[in-house]
Amino acid sequence: LEDSSNVETEYDDKLLKDCLDRFVLSLNEKQRTIFVCRYYFSVGVKEIAEKYDCSEWTIFKMLDKMKKQLKELLRKEGFINE
């Protein structure tokens, strides 16, 4: 049998993954693409800005807003305490 703490960790990991998936799917297509490019594939802000023909500042602001939304969701779901 698996160690119960290992099972709990795997369960918590699945809950977190599900929460992140819901967040990403809640974004519109442009936001989702930008978020995934930056945080899943580590694409640079400059490259993303060039792809969308906008300023790096615009991308930074979009990413900042999405990070705040994600943080709020994680707080509501009990993954972070603040």
Side-chain angles (χ1 to χ4, degrees):
L1 289 178
E2 288 189 54
D3 182 356
S4 64
S5 64
N6 192 27
V7 171
E8 289 173 11
T9 299
E10 287 180 19
Y11 180 72
D12 290 343
D13 289 349
K14 183 186 178 334
L15 290 176
L16 178 58
K17 181 192 175 302
D18 290 347
C19 184
L20 291 171
D21 287 345
R22 282 194 322 274
F23 172 75
V24 170
L25 291 172
S26 75
L27 301 171
N28 68 43
E29 185 177 346
K30 182 177 180 180
Q31 292 171 321
R32 184 170 39 250
T33 301
I34 290 169
F35 188 88
V36 169
C37 283
R38 182 68 183 129
Y39 297 117
Y40 283 61
F41 298 111
S42 301
V43 176
V45 170
K46 182 177 182 177
E47 187 176 341
I48 296 169
E50 288 170 357
K51 177 180 178 173
Y52 284 97
D53 194 30
C54 62
S55 71
E56 291 178 51
W57 177 251
T58 299
I59 299 300
F60 275 120
K61 292 305 289 178
M62 289 178 71
L63 291 168
D64 186 57
K65 182 178 178 182
M66 288 185 276
K67 286 190 297 185
K68 288 177 181 174
Q69 291 170 333
L70 176 57
K71 186 175 183 178
E72 182 59 28
L73 176 63
L74 292 172
R75 183 179 295 117
K76 285 181 182 178
E77 296 286 329
F79 289 103
I80 57 174
N81 299 315
E82 286 187 8

